[in-house]
Amino acid sequence: MEILGLACAAVLLFGAVLSIETRISRSDRQLARVERKLDLLLEHMGLQEHDPRLREVIELLRNGKKLYAIKRYRELTGAGLKEAKEAVERLG
């Protein structure tokens, strides 16, 4: 009987974790869409985002160190690889 109870608890816990991961994933996708739209608006208006933390990234780009710039961008912002690559390319 105890094993059945533990199995049920494990299944419920797994379902709860899966539900939370799904919500987080959905939120991440929504946030990425909003960021892309904001980037398009800024580009359309001819504006650039000036984050003082990105000076180092810009300097790496100027020195031809694009991969290091992407890595540093990720470290500074917590962005994913694709997002960081796109952002660094916009900076360059």
Side-chain angles (χ1 to χ4, degrees), residues 30-57:
Q30 288 173 337
L31 180 58
R33 279 195 305 270
V34 168
E35 288 174 342
R36 280 192 301 272
K37 289 176 183 180
L38 182 56
D39 288 341
L40 287 171
L41 285 172
L42 289 171
E43 183 180 332
H44 178 73
M45 295 174 69
L47 301 173
Q48 289 185 335
E49 176 183 8
H50 293 287
D51 186 339
R53 300 177 304 162
L54 299 181
R55 287 186 190 131
E56 185 179 352
V57 174

PDB file of all heavy atoms in Angstrom, residues 30-57:
ATOM      1  N   GLN A  30       7.067  34.091 -24.997  1.00  0.00           N
ATOM      2  CA  GLN A  30       6.358  35.364 -25.051  1.00  0.00           C
ATOM      3  C   GLN A  30       7.319  36.530 -24.851  1.00  0.00           C
ATOM      4  O   GLN A  30       7.242  37.535 -25.568  1.00  0.00           O
ATOM      5  CB  GLN A  30       5.258  35.403 -23.990  1.00  0.00           C
ATOM      6  CG  GLN A  30       4.084  34.511 -24.292  1.00  0.00           C
ATOM      7  CD  GLN A  30       3.097  34.438 -23.136  1.00  0.00           C
ATOM      8  OE1 GLN A  30       3.446  34.695 -21.990  1.00  0.00           O
ATOM      9  NE2 GLN A  30       1.864  34.058 -23.444  1.00  0.00           N
ATOM     10  N   LEU A  31       8.224  36.397 -23.911  1.00  0.00           N
ATOM     11  CA  LEU A  31       9.207  37.449 -23.666  1.00  0.00           C
ATOM     12  C   LEU A  31      10.101  37.647 -24.885  1.00  0.00           C
ATOM     13  O   LEU A  31      10.386  38.780 -25.274  1.00  0.00           O
ATOM     14  CB  LEU A  31      10.049  37.110 -22.437  1.00  0.00           C
ATOM     15  CG  LEU A  31      11.127  38.112 -22.060  1.00  0.00           C
ATOM     16  CD1 LEU A  31      10.534  39.490 -21.806  1.00  0.00           C
ATOM     17  CD2 LEU A  31      11.892  37.620 -20.847  1.00  0.00           C
ATOM     18  N   ALA A  32      10.523  36.566 -25.511  1.00  0.00           N
ATOM     19  CA  ALA A  32      11.361  36.671 -26.710  1.00  0.00           C
ATOM     20  C   ALA A  32      10.618  37.393 -27.828  1.00  0.00           C
ATOM     21  O   ALA A  32      11.205  38.218 -28.538  1.00  0.00           O
ATOM     22  CB  ALA A  32      11.804  35.284 -27.167  1.00  0.00           C
ATOM     23  N   ARG A  33       9.315  37.111 -27.987  1.00  0.00           N
ATOM     24  CA  ARG A  33       8.519  37.807 -29.015  1.00  0.00           C
ATOM     25  C   ARG A  33       8.440  39.302 -28.723  1.00  0.00           C
ATOM     26  O   ARG A  33       8.592  40.134 -29.621  1.00  0.00           O
ATOM     27  CB  ARG A  33       7.119  37.204 -29.101  1.00  0.00           C
ATOM     28  CG  ARG A  33       7.030  35.945 -29.921  1.00  0.00           C
ATOM     29  CD  ARG A  33       5.592  35.585 -30.287  1.00  0.00           C
ATOM     30  NE  ARG A  33       4.702  35.478 -29.148  1.00  0.00           N
ATOM     31  CZ  ARG A  33       4.482  34.354 -28.450  1.00  0.00           C
ATOM     32  NH1 ARG A  33       5.098  33.252 -28.777  1.00  0.00           N
ATOM     33  NH2 ARG A  33       3.652  34.347 -27.441  1.00  0.00           N
ATOM     34  N   VAL A  34       8.214  39.651 -27.471  1.00  0.00           N
ATOM     35  CA  VAL A  34       8.125  41.061 -27.092  1.00  0.00           C
ATOM     36  C   VAL A  34       9.461  41.757 -27.339  1.00  0.00           C
ATOM     37  O   VAL A  34       9.505  42.879 -27.867  1.00  0.00           O
ATOM     38  CB  VAL A  34       7.690  41.206 -25.617  1.00  0.00           C
ATOM     39  CG1 VAL A  34       7.863  42.633 -25.123  1.00  0.00           C
ATOM     40  CG2 VAL A  34       6.252  40.749 -25.435  1.00  0.00           C
ATOM     41  N   GLU A  35      10.562  41.090 -26.992  1.00  0.00           N
ATOM     42  CA  GLU A  35      11.881  41.675 -27.224  1.00  0.00           C
ATOM     43  C   GLU A  35      12.145  41.877 -28.715  1.00  0.00           C
ATOM     44  O   GLU A  35      12.703  42.905 -29.110  1.00  0.00           O
ATOM     45  CB  GLU A  35      12.970  40.805 -26.607  1.00  0.00           C
ATOM     46  CG  GLU A  35      12.979  40.868 -25.090  1.00  0.00           C
ATOM     47  CD  GLU A  35      13.972  39.905 -24.462  1.00  0.00           C
ATOM     48  OE1 GLU A  35      14.420  38.959 -25.137  1.00  0.00           O
ATOM     49  OE2 GLU A  35      14.302  40.111 -23.286  1.00  0.00           O
ATOM     50  N   ARG A  36      11.763  40.913 -29.537  1.00  0.00           N
ATOM     51  CA  ARG A  36      11.943  41.063 -30.989  1.00  0.00           C
ATOM     52  C   ARG A  36      11.137  42.240 -31.516  1.00  0.00           C
ATOM     53  O   ARG A  36      11.625  43.031 -32.335  1.00  0.00           O
ATOM     54  CB  ARG A  36      11.548  39.781 -31.727  1.00  0.00           C
ATOM     55  CG  ARG A  36      12.615  38.703 -31.691  1.00  0.00           C
ATOM     56  CD  ARG A  36      12.320  37.578 -32.666  1.00  0.00           C
ATOM     57  NE  ARG A  36      11.048  36.923 -32.432  1.00  0.00           N
ATOM     58  CZ  ARG A  36      10.856  35.894 -31.616  1.00  0.00           C
ATOM     59  NH1 ARG A  36      11.871  35.377 -30.962  1.00  0.00           N
ATOM     60  NH2 ARG A  36       9.671  35.351 -31.471  1.00  0.00           N
ATOM     61  N   LYS A  37       9.900  42.380 -31.045  1.00  0.00           N
ATOM     62  CA  LYS A  37       9.064  43.495 -31.483  1.00  0.00           C
ATOM     63  C   LYS A  37       9.656  44.829 -31.041  1.00  0.00           C
ATOM     64  O   LYS A  37       9.674  45.795 -31.813  1.00  0.00           O
ATOM     65  CB  LYS A  37       7.643  43.341 -30.926  1.00  0.00           C
ATOM     66  CG  LYS A  37       6.872  42.213 -31.583  1.00  0.00           C
ATOM     67  CD  LYS A  37       5.509  42.032 -30.949  1.00  0.00           C
ATOM     68  CE  LYS A  37       4.775  40.863 -31.569  1.00  0.00           C
ATOM     69  NZ  LYS A  37       3.447  40.687 -30.958  1.00  0.00           N
ATOM     70  N   LEU A  38      10.149  44.879 -29.826  1.00  0.00           N
ATOM     71  CA  LEU A  38      10.769  46.100 -29.341  1.00  0.00           C
ATOM     72  C   LEU A  38      12.017  46.437 -30.158  1.00  0.00           C
ATOM     73  O   LEU A  38      12.222  47.597 -30.531  1.00  0.00           O
ATOM     74  CB  LEU A  38      11.130  45.965 -27.863  1.00  0.00           C
ATOM     75  CG  LEU A  38      11.756  47.175 -27.190  1.00  0.00           C
ATOM     76  CD1 LEU A  38      10.867  48.398 -27.322  1.00  0.00           C
ATOM     77  CD2 LEU A  38      12.027  46.870 -25.730  1.00  0.00           C
ATOM     78  N   ASP A  39      12.812  45.432 -30.474  1.00  0.00           N
ATOM     79  CA  ASP A  39      13.992  45.646 -31.319  1.00  0.00           C
ATOM     80  C   ASP A  39      13.595  46.195 -32.683  1.00  0.00           C
ATOM     81  O   ASP A  39      14.247  47.098 -33.215  1.00  0.00           O
ATOM     82  CB  ASP A  39      14.786  44.348 -31.496  1.00  0.00           C
ATOM     83  CG  ASP A  39      15.527  43.931 -30.233  1.00  0.00           C
ATOM     84  OD1 ASP A  39      15.737  44.789 -29.353  1.00  0.00           O
ATOM     85  OD2 ASP A  39      15.897  42.739 -30.137  1.00  0.00           O
ATOM     86  N   LEU A  40      12.523  45.662 -33.260  1.00  0.00           N
ATOM     87  CA  LEU A  40      12.059  46.151 -34.561  1.00  0.00           C
ATOM     88  C   LEU A  40      11.591  47.600 -34.473  1.00  0.00           C
ATOM     89  O   LEU A  40      11.870  48.406 -35.369  1.00  0.00           O
ATOM     90  CB  LEU A  40      10.930  45.263 -35.093  1.00  0.00           C
ATOM     91  CG  LEU A  40      11.341  43.891 -35.591  1.00  0.00           C
ATOM     92  CD1 LEU A  40      10.111  43.028 -35.883  1.00  0.00           C
ATOM     93  CD2 LEU A  40      12.214  44.008 -36.822  1.00  0.00           C
ATOM     94  N   LEU A  41      10.887  47.932 -33.400  1.00  0.00           N
ATOM     95  CA  LEU A  41      10.439  49.316 -33.216  1.00  0.00           C
ATOM     96  C   LEU A  41      11.625  50.266 -33.072  1.00  0.00           C
ATOM     97  O   LEU A  41      11.648  51.335 -33.686  1.00  0.00           O
ATOM     98  CB  LEU A  41       9.543  49.425 -31.981  1.00  0.00           C
ATOM     99  CG  LEU A  41       8.128  48.883 -32.129  1.00  0.00           C
ATOM    100  CD1 LEU A  41       7.424  48.868 -30.779  1.00  0.00           C
ATOM    101  CD2 LEU A  41       7.346  49.726 -33.119  1.00  0.00           C
ATOM    102  N   LEU A  42      12.599  49.875 -32.263  1.00  0.00           N
ATOM    103  CA  LEU A  42      13.786  50.714 -32.091  1.00  0.00           C
ATOM    104  C   LEU A  42      14.511  50.904 -33.421  1.00  0.00           C
ATOM    105  O   LEU A  42      14.926  52.007 -33.763  1.00  0.00           O
ATOM    106  CB  LEU A  42      14.729  50.099 -31.057  1.00  0.00           C
ATOM    107  CG  LEU A  42      14.264  50.149 -29.607  1.00  0.00           C
ATOM    108  CD1 LEU A  42      15.177  49.317 -28.724  1.00  0.00           C
ATOM    109  CD2 LEU A  42      14.204  51.580 -29.113  1.00  0.00           C
ATOM    110  N   GLU A  43      14.639  49.822 -34.173  1.00  0.00           N
ATOM    111  CA  GLU A  43      15.306  49.889 -35.474  1.00  0.00           C
ATOM    112  C   GLU A  43      14.535  50.791 -36.426  1.00  0.00           C
ATOM    113  O   GLU A  43      15.110  51.624 -37.119  1.00  0.00           O
ATOM    114  CB  GLU A  43      15.442  48.487 -36.060  1.00  0.00           C
ATOM    115  CG  GLU A  43      16.177  48.435 -37.372  1.00  0.00           C
ATOM    116  CD  GLU A  43      16.271  47.012 -37.902  1.00  0.00           C
ATOM    117  OE1 GLU A  43      16.267  46.063 -37.114  1.00  0.00           O
ATOM    118  OE2 GLU A  43      16.344  46.878 -39.137  1.00  0.00           O
ATOM    119  N   HIS A  44      13.221  50.634 -36.454  1.00  0.00           N
ATOM    120  CA  HIS A  44      12.376  51.436 -37.342  1.00  0.00           C
ATOM    121  C   HIS A  44      12.491  52.927 -37.016  1.00  0.00           C
ATOM    122  O   HIS A  44      12.486  53.775 -37.915  1.00  0.00           O
ATOM    123  CB  HIS A  44      10.926  50.980 -37.237  1.00  0.00           C
ATOM    124  CG  HIS A  44       9.983  51.769 -38.081  1.00  0.00           C
ATOM    125  ND1 HIS A  44       9.932  51.644 -39.447  1.00  0.00           N
ATOM    126  CD2 HIS A  44       9.058  52.707 -37.753  1.00  0.00           C
ATOM    127  CE1 HIS A  44       9.024  52.467 -39.931  1.00  0.00           C
ATOM    128  NE2 HIS A  44       8.475  53.125 -38.926  1.00  0.00           N
ATOM    129  N   MET A  45      12.616  53.232 -35.739  1.00  0.00           N
ATOM    130  CA  MET A  45      12.687  54.622 -35.315  1.00  0.00           C
ATOM    131  C   MET A  45      14.125  55.163 -35.375  1.00  0.00           C
ATOM    132  O   MET A  45      14.359  56.333 -35.095  1.00  0.00           O
ATOM    133  CB  MET A  45      12.138  54.757 -33.894  1.00  0.00           C
ATOM    134  CG  MET A  45      10.655  54.424 -33.812  1.00  0.00           C
ATOM    135  SD  MET A  45      10.042  54.403 -32.125  1.00  0.00           S
ATOM    136  CE  MET A  45      10.136  56.135 -31.722  1.00  0.00           C
ATOM    137  N   GLY A  46      15.060  54.300 -35.726  1.00  0.00           N
ATOM    138  CA  GLY A  46      16.449  54.737 -35.829  1.00  0.00           C
ATOM    139  C   GLY A  46      17.108  54.928 -34.477  1.00  0.00           C
ATOM    140  O   GLY A  46      18.068  55.690 -34.356  1.00  0.00           O
ATOM    141  N   LEU A  47      16.595  54.271 -33.472  1.00  0.00           N
ATOM    142  CA  LEU A  47      17.143  54.393 -32.122  1.00  0.00           C
ATOM    143  C   LEU A  47      17.974  53.169 -31.790  1.00  0.00           C
ATOM    144  O   LEU A  47      17.746  52.087 -32.320  1.00  0.00           O
ATOM    145  CB  LEU A  47      16.009  54.527 -31.098  1.00  0.00           C
ATOM    146  CG  LEU A  47      15.072  55.704 -31.286  1.00  0.00           C
ATOM    147  CD1 LEU A  47      13.916  55.616 -30.304  1.00  0.00           C
ATOM    148  CD2 LEU A  47      15.821  57.004 -31.113  1.00  0.00           C
ATOM    149  N   GLN A  48      18.935  53.370 -30.905  1.00  0.00           N
ATOM    150  CA  GLN A  48      19.744  52.255 -30.450  1.00  0.00           C
ATOM    151  C   GLN A  48      19.705  52.200 -28.935  1.00  0.00           C
ATOM    152  O   GLN A  48      19.669  53.233 -28.266  1.00  0.00           O
ATOM    153  CB  GLN A  48      21.190  52.396 -30.903  1.00  0.00           C
ATOM    154  CG  GLN A  48      21.387  52.185 -32.380  1.00  0.00           C
ATOM    155  CD  GLN A  48      22.869  52.211 -32.725  1.00  0.00           C
ATOM    156  OE1 GLN A  48      23.671  52.807 -32.030  1.00  0.00           O
ATOM    157  NE2 GLN A  48      23.211  51.565 -33.812  1.00  0.00           N
ATOM    158  N   GLU A  49      19.730  50.995 -28.439  1.00  0.00           N
ATOM    159  CA  GLU A  49      19.772  50.789 -26.999  1.00  0.00           C
ATOM    160  C   GLU A  49      21.217  50.983 -26.541  1.00  0.00           C
ATOM    161  O   GLU A  49      22.136  50.388 -27.083  1.00  0.00           O
ATOM    162  CB  GLU A  49      19.306  49.369 -26.672  1.00  0.00           C
ATOM    163  CG  GLU A  49      19.391  49.014 -25.231  1.00  0.00           C
ATOM    164  CD  GLU A  49      18.991  47.577 -24.980  1.00  0.00           C
ATOM    165  OE1 GLU A  49      18.784  46.819 -25.924  1.00  0.00           O
ATOM    166  OE2 GLU A  49      18.911  47.222 -23.805  1.00  0.00           O
ATOM    167  N   HIS A  50      21.409  51.853 -25.570  1.00  0.00           N
ATOM    168  CA  HIS A  50      22.758  52.093 -25.057  1.00  0.00           C
ATOM    169  C   HIS A  50      22.829  51.604 -23.619  1.00  0.00           C
ATOM    170  O   HIS A  50      22.407  52.286 -22.700  1.00  0.00           O
ATOM    171  CB  HIS A  50      23.119  53.580 -25.139  1.00  0.00           C
ATOM    172  CG  HIS A  50      23.248  54.066 -26.542  1.00  0.00           C
ATOM    173  ND1 HIS A  50      24.320  53.742 -27.334  1.00  0.00           N
ATOM    174  CD2 HIS A  50      22.431  54.823 -27.310  1.00  0.00           C
ATOM    175  CE1 HIS A  50      24.174  54.284 -28.524  1.00  0.00           C
ATOM    176  NE2 HIS A  50      23.031  54.945 -28.540  1.00  0.00           N
ATOM    177  N   ASP A  51      23.357  50.439 -23.468  1.00  0.00           N
ATOM    178  CA  ASP A  51      23.543  49.851 -22.154  1.00  0.00           C
ATOM    179  C   ASP A  51      25.019  50.004 -21.798  1.00  0.00           C
ATOM    180  O   ASP A  51      25.881  49.490 -22.510  1.00  0.00           O
ATOM    181  CB  ASP A  51      23.154  48.370 -22.194  1.00  0.00           C
ATOM    182  CG  ASP A  51      23.171  47.709 -20.836  1.00  0.00           C
ATOM    183  OD1 ASP A  51      23.842  48.233 -19.921  1.00  0.00           O
ATOM    184  OD2 ASP A  51      22.530  46.663 -20.689  1.00  0.00           O
ATOM    185  N   PRO A  52      25.338  50.716 -20.731  1.00  0.00           N
ATOM    186  CA  PRO A  52      26.744  50.953 -20.398  1.00  0.00           C
ATOM    187  C   PRO A  52      27.542  49.667 -20.197  1.00  0.00           C
ATOM    188  O   PRO A  52      28.746  49.645 -20.384  1.00  0.00           O
ATOM    189  CB  PRO A  52      26.691  51.774 -19.112  1.00  0.00           C
ATOM    190  CG  PRO A  52      25.292  51.822 -18.672  1.00  0.00           C
ATOM    191  CD  PRO A  52      24.435  51.331 -19.785  1.00  0.00           C
ATOM    192  N   ARG A  53      26.863  48.589 -19.830  1.00  0.00           N
ATOM    193  CA  ARG A  53      27.560  47.313 -19.633  1.00  0.00           C
ATOM    194  C   ARG A  53      28.092  46.756 -20.948  1.00  0.00           C
ATOM    195  O   ARG A  53      28.975  45.913 -20.944  1.00  0.00           O
ATOM    196  CB  ARG A  53      26.620  46.276 -19.016  1.00  0.00           C
ATOM    197  CG  ARG A  53      26.070  46.662 -17.669  1.00  0.00           C
ATOM    198  CD  ARG A  53      25.103  45.633 -17.157  1.00  0.00           C
ATOM    199  NE  ARG A  53      24.033  45.422 -18.125  1.00  0.00           N
ATOM    200  CZ  ARG A  53      23.225  44.367 -18.132  1.00  0.00           C
ATOM    201  NH1 ARG A  53      23.357  43.433 -17.240  1.00  0.00           N
ATOM    202  NH2 ARG A  53      22.283  44.260 -19.036  1.00  0.00           N
ATOM    203  N   LEU A  54      27.576  47.231 -22.077  1.00  0.00           N
ATOM    204  CA  LEU A  54      27.938  46.651 -23.364  1.00  0.00           C
ATOM    205  C   LEU A  54      29.170  47.295 -23.989  1.00  0.00           C
ATOM    206  O   LEU A  54      29.577  46.899 -25.085  1.00  0.00           O
ATOM    207  CB  LEU A  54      26.749  46.729 -24.322  1.00  0.00           C
ATOM    208  CG  LEU A  54      25.501  45.976 -23.857  1.00  0.00           C
ATOM    209  CD1 LEU A  54      24.403  46.092 -24.898  1.00  0.00           C
ATOM    210  CD2 LEU A  54      25.806  44.524 -23.566  1.00  0.00           C
ATOM    211  N   ARG A  55      29.777  48.258 -23.320  1.00  0.00           N
ATOM    212  CA  ARG A  55      30.990  48.883 -23.868  1.00  0.00           C
ATOM    213  C   ARG A  55      32.063  47.851 -24.148  1.00  0.00           C
ATOM    214  O   ARG A  55      32.744  47.907 -25.169  1.00  0.00           O
ATOM    215  CB  ARG A  55      31.522  49.940 -22.911  1.00  0.00           C
ATOM    216  CG  ARG A  55      30.681  51.177 -22.882  1.00  0.00           C
ATOM    217  CD  ARG A  55      31.328  52.260 -22.038  1.00  0.00           C
ATOM    218  NE  ARG A  55      30.358  53.321 -21.850  1.00  0.00           N
ATOM    219  CZ  ARG A  55      30.070  53.854 -20.674  1.00  0.00           C
ATOM    220  NH1 ARG A  55      30.705  53.464 -19.593  1.00  0.00           N
ATOM    221  NH2 ARG A  55      29.173  54.813 -20.581  1.00  0.00           N
ATOM    222  N   GLU A  56      32.205  46.919 -23.223  1.00  0.00           N
ATOM    223  CA  GLU A  56      33.214  45.865 -23.385  1.00  0.00           C
ATOM    224  C   GLU A  56      32.900  44.993 -24.601  1.00  0.00           C
ATOM    225  O   GLU A  56      33.794  44.617 -25.362  1.00  0.00           O
ATOM    226  CB  GLU A  56      33.273  45.010 -22.120  1.00  0.00           C
ATOM    227  CG  GLU A  56      34.367  43.973 -22.144  1.00  0.00           C
ATOM    228  CD  GLU A  56      34.407  43.149 -20.864  1.00  0.00           C
ATOM    229  OE1 GLU A  56      33.686  43.466 -19.898  1.00  0.00           O
ATOM    230  OE2 GLU A  56      35.168  42.176 -20.850  1.00  0.00           O
ATOM    231  N   VAL A  57      31.630  44.694 -24.796  1.00  0.00           N
ATOM    232  CA  VAL A  57      31.211  43.893 -25.948  1.00  0.00           C
ATOM    233  C   VAL A  57      31.531  44.630 -27.245  1.00  0.00           C
ATOM    234  O   VAL A  57      32.066  44.052 -28.196  1.00  0.00           O
ATOM    235  CB  VAL A  57      29.699  43.555 -25.865  1.00  0.00           C
ATOM    236  CG1 VAL A  57      29.216  42.857 -27.125  1.00  0.00           C
ATOM    237  CG2 VAL A  57      29.406  42.715 -24.634  1.00  0.00           C
TER     238      VAL A  57
END
